[in-house]
Each structure stands twice: as structure tokens, then as C-alpha cells.
Amino acid sequence: MDNCMVKDSIVEIKKLSPRGVLILDAAQHLFYNLGFDETSLAMIINEAGGSRRSIYHEFGNKRGLLMAVIQRQVKTQSEILTSINRELDAKEALNQVCFKFVVGMLSPELMSLFRLVVQQVVKFPELGEMIYKNGPMTGILPLVDYLTWLTEQKVLKIENCHFSAQMLMEMAKGPLHTRSLLLPDKQASEEEISYQVTKAVDIFLHAHRM
């Protein structure tokens, strides 16, 4: 089986009613600022309106709300990867899209979500598995698709496009992701992100050149 084949490259999330969007926005705001455990359904309803029935109907429960918050952010990041310009050479295209992706990953919103998720998976291991399968594993598919195309065009030589896409993203995030996670007041500059991404892409292309 060709490890560079990919079936789908778009993260699909459930379409919400206007009330559901308000509930999701309120939940995200409260989760980020107060924490998951400290946020009650009553607090979400107080901020967004609606009722417990509205939440149960669209999200199932509070954990379902957390998954919806995660999936929305994954979709946003995934859409960045779908913007890869195939008319550019591989180096320029990868530098461009990885820069946009890392800027998003290091944003205060994504950092808050990451800290929130790490806290919750300790208590609910099954949640971690759900997030892993529906988050990073799915969100990276547009990049997998692009690497598959580069392989078919004989621009690069890649045996496992999914693994290589993950490795590229991890290198692109690099030490700045750890620093942003542990030192929230020290936000990475665009110059720092650009430097780190450029180095990551150079290493990646060197490893997979024909």
C-alpha cells in the first residue's frame, strides 16, 4: 500500500445553529479564561443564552463542547494548509504555508487550548485518544496531500507522506512552541518564527531531495 495516498484533506465539523455558534463561542471564552473544570453549563448559558437542552442537543455534554472547540481550531489550522500555492517551488511554498501555520499555533488562543487539553487528558485518557484522532491526525491531511503531489511530480522522494508531514510541522513549531507554552508572556516575533521555519524547511527538503 502506498503510504503517500490520502483519501480526504478537509476537516469536517458538525454544522451548528446560530444558537449553537453562540454557545460554542461562550464555552471557548470561558474554557480559556477560567478552565474546563471551573466552567459550568450554567455559566455558558448565562453568557450565550439558550438552555441545557440546547447544549445537549448540539454537543451532548460539556466534554462534547470541548471537542467542538478543538475541532473548530483544527479546521482553522487545516484551512491554512489547504492554501498551499502549487505554482511556487516547493521551498517557497512550504516556507509560506509553514510560517502561517506556526503563527497560528503560537497564537495566545491556540496556546490556551493546548494547556487546557493537557490538563484534561490526564483525567480522561479517552478524551486524549479522541483529540489525537480528530485533531492533529486529521488536520494535517492537506499537507499530506501536497507532499503526495510533490512525490508524484518527482520533486521530492518521500516514502511515508503522513509521517513526513508530521515531522515537518513538529520541526517548524520547534523550540518556540515550548517557549510559548511555558513562558506565556514571551510571545514569539515574526522574525523568530520565520528563522525557525526556514531552517526546518531546509532540513526537510535536504532529507527528501531526489
Side-chain angles (χ1 to χ4, degrees), residues 30-31 35-45 52 62:
L30 291 168
F31 289 164
F36 180 78
D37 293 330
E38 292 75 16
T39 299
S40 67
L41 293 183
M43 294 165 67
I44 295 171
I45 293 167
R52 286 177 179 266
K62 193 168 79 166

Side-chain angles (χ1 to χ4, degrees), residues 7-200:
K7 294 181 179 179
D8 299 299
S9 59
I10 299 175
V11 178
E12 294 184 1
I13 59 176
K14 178 183 176 182
K15 185 173 178 60
L16 300 174
S17 68
R19 174 66 64 191
V21 173
L22 291 174
I23 290 172
L24 185 59
D25 289 342
Q28 179 173 310
H29 172 74
L30 291 168
F31 289 164
Y32 286 3
N33 288 278
L34 301 179
F36 180 78
D37 293 330
E38 292 75 16
T39 299
S40 67
L41 293 183
M43 294 165 67
I44 295 171
I45 293 167
N46 185 58
E47 184 163 323
S51 64
R52 286 177 179 266
R53 186 173 183 177
S54 303
I55 293 175
Y56 296 145
H57 175 69
E58 300 217 48
F59 304 100
N61 51 32
K62 193 168 79 166
R63 221 186 298 182
L65 265 170
L66 177 58
M67 277 303 305
V69 168
I70 293 166
Q71 287 180 321
R72 182 165 66 173
Q73 293 292 353
V74 168
K75 186 175 187 295
T76 299
Q77 286 297 98
S78 180
E79 286 173 348
I80 293 174
L81 295 180
T82 64
S83 68
I84 300 174
N85 188 346
R86 299 192 181 194
E87 295 182 2
L88 301 175
D89 66 75
K91 181 175 182 178
E92 188 176 355
L94 288 173
N95 270 307
Q96 187 180 87
V97 75
C98 287
F99 175 81
K100 292 178 183 177
F101 187 84
V102 175
V103 167
M105 287 297 297
L106 300 185
S107 68
E109 293 79 14
L110 263 292
M111 287 289 97
S112 295
L113 179 61
F114 192 86
R115 296 185 191 98
L116 180 66
V117 167
V118 169
Q119 291 177 342
Q120 292 308 307
V121 296
V122 175
K123 302 172 185 177
F124 307 111
E126 68 276 13
L127 181 63
E129 184 175 353
M130 288 172 60
I131 292 169
Y132 184 69
K133 288 181 178 178
N134 294 290
M137 295 295 286
T138 302
I140 207 164
L141 290 180
L143 179 58
V144 178
D145 185 56
Y146 176 65
L147 295 182
T148 300
W149 180 75
L150 289 178
T151 301
E152 292 170 347
Q153 298 297 311
K154 301 189 183 305
V155 175
L156 298 178
K157 184 178 181 181
I158 304 176
E159 294 181 359
N160 188 322
C161 294
H162 202 291
F163 179 77
S164 294
Q166 288 180 297
M167 290 300 295
L168 175 57
M169 287 294 96
E170 290 302 317
M171 287 194 297
K173 288 190 303 179
L176 289 178
H177 186 261
T178 303
R179 193 187 79 183
S180 297
L181 182 64
L182 299 177
L183 303 174
D185 293 331
K186 190 172 179 60
Q187 191 167 354
S189 67
E190 290 193 356
E191 290 76 15
E192 288 178 308
I193 295 172
S194 179
Y195 178 81
Q196 182 168 280
V197 165
T198 299
K199 291 297 183 183

